[in-house]
Amino acid sequence: MSARLLLRLLCLSVLAFLPRLSLANEPWDPPSGCRLEKWSDVEAWREWNSHTPATNGDAWAQERRRIADNREVWRWYDRLYIAIMGDKVLTLADCPFGDDMHRYDYERYDAAGGFHVVHVWRYEDHFYALVMRDSGKIYTVSGLPVWSPERARFAYAVCIPPDGTTDEAVAEVAVMSVVDKQPQIETRASMPCFLDDCKLVWEDDGTVTSTCEERDGIDRKRSVLRLSRQRDGWIATPPRP
């Protein structure tokens, strides 16, 4: 590991030494389906479809296998229905057209957190929606939850590509828990990454390691960050050789 990379990782200890529990994410209001108010909107959609190949078929086929044994989830074309406690239903509608184009892919029901996980795809972005089974409230996280051994908390790590202001990709790493049926952020840190997905490994319920690697190229790059839970918060350090 280079001295420059080591210095950057050491600086992360300051970023990650946050209070053990922070405010919950605000509930997310999902966008609705496509609203076509004029015939010109229909014609514009028709033109869009003429040069934009549809990917819904393959995505729905994969999703169908994931929800085959789950009677609380159902897909009907562009509508995803999720059962909520109290005989209620949440409807998520795809919209593959326009500036607000989006698509929902159901991932799984997460019993440890009491939420359904839905992958939300936008035009140039994607994230995960956590649909709380009891309340129907939706909270968003950047990456797929990876739970600790005792299921007390989960982490995610996402490599964010350069946005034009920098030439380097940066991974967002976070640890969260569910308190009063709401996801809460315990700590958040960042680390160098190389566009590929970062891997998370829980060593125990209070220690998680994120590893980001560049798979292609002759000179393969690698950065590692360990988040360790302390009495008053978390500390981010590079692991020992």
Side-chain angles (χ1 to χ4, degrees):
M1 182 178 297
S2 67
R4 179 185 176 188
L5 182 57
L6 179 61
L7 179 61
R8 292 176 63 185
L9 289 175
L10 287 173
C11 292
L12 293 174
S13 62
V14 177
L15 297 176
F17 196 75
L18 302 174
R20 191 182 62 84
L21 199 64
S22 62
L23 296 177
N25 294 340
E26 291 296 325
W28 179 62
D29 186 16
S32 60
C34 295
R35 293 188 294 271
L36 305 181
E37 300 176 354
K38 302 177 181 179
W39 186 251
S40 59
D41 296 334
V42 177
E43 292 180 327
W45 194 350
R46 178 188 298 169
E47 173 63 22
W48 176 276
N49 288 337
S50 68
H51 60 77
T52 304
T55 59
N56 292 355
D58 292 340
W60 290 344
Q62 296 175 21
E63 182 189 68
R64 192 178 302 114
R65 291 190 288 270
R66 292 194 292 269
I67 65 178
D69 299 324
N70 191 340
R71 293 185 60 83
E72 295 188 351
V73 183
W74 187 52
R75 162 78 67 177
W76 182 253
Y77 292 102
D78 62 343
R79 306 277 168 156
L80 179 64
Y81 300 98
I82 300 176
I84 306 300
M85 294 293 290
D87 199 31
K88 299 179 181 179
V89 62
L90 173 70
T91 303
L92 299 175
D94 296 344
C95 179
F97 165 73
D99 295 335
D100 195 32
M101 62 184 303
H102 56 271
R103 191 183 83 240
Y104 301 100
D105 287 343
Y106 186 83
E107 289 288 335
R108 67 174 188 249
Y109 175 68
D110 201 313
F115 50 70
H116 298 272
V117 181
V118 179
H119 202 164
V120 184
W121 298 91
R122 305 299 293 266
Y123 179 60
E124 292 183 336
D125 189 21
H126 70 99
F127 53 89
Y128 293 88
L130 310 182
V131 180
M132 309 308 294
R133 185 174 182 268
D134 289 347
S135 64
K137 293 182 179 180
I138 306 175
Y139 300 88
T140 62
V141 294
S142 300
L144 194 64
V146 178
W147 284 91
S148 63
E150 297 179 8
R151 301 297 190 268
R153 52 184 54 86
F154 64 85
Y156 66 80
V158 178
C159 187
I160 303 173
D163 59 2
T165 61
T166 176
D167 295 332
E168 299 180 346
V170 178
E172 174 187 335
V173 186
V175 177
M176 304 184 69
S177 55
V178 178
V179 180
D180 295 331
K181 300 179 181 179
Q182 297 183 32
Q184 305 271 355
I185 299 173
E186 294 194 11
T187 190
R188 182 186 288 128
S190 59
M191 62 184 295
C193 64
F194 314 98
L195 300 183
D196 291 327
D197 291 337
C198 301
K199 296 181 179 179
L200 287 172
V201 176
W202 285 93
E203 300 176 20
D204 52 52
D205 203 52
T207 308
V208 62
T209 300
S210 175
T211 303
C212 304
E213 294 183 289
E214 184 181 44
R215 298 189 182 96
D216 299 328
I218 299 177
D219 184 16
R220 296 180 61 179
K221 301 176 183 179
R222 183 173 184 263
S223 63
V224 182
L225 177 68
R226 175 181 286 126
L227 291 172
S228 303
R229 186 168 179 255
Q230 305 296 321
R231 178 178 301 177
D232 297 325
W234 293 75
I235 293 179
T237 57
R240 296 177 181 177

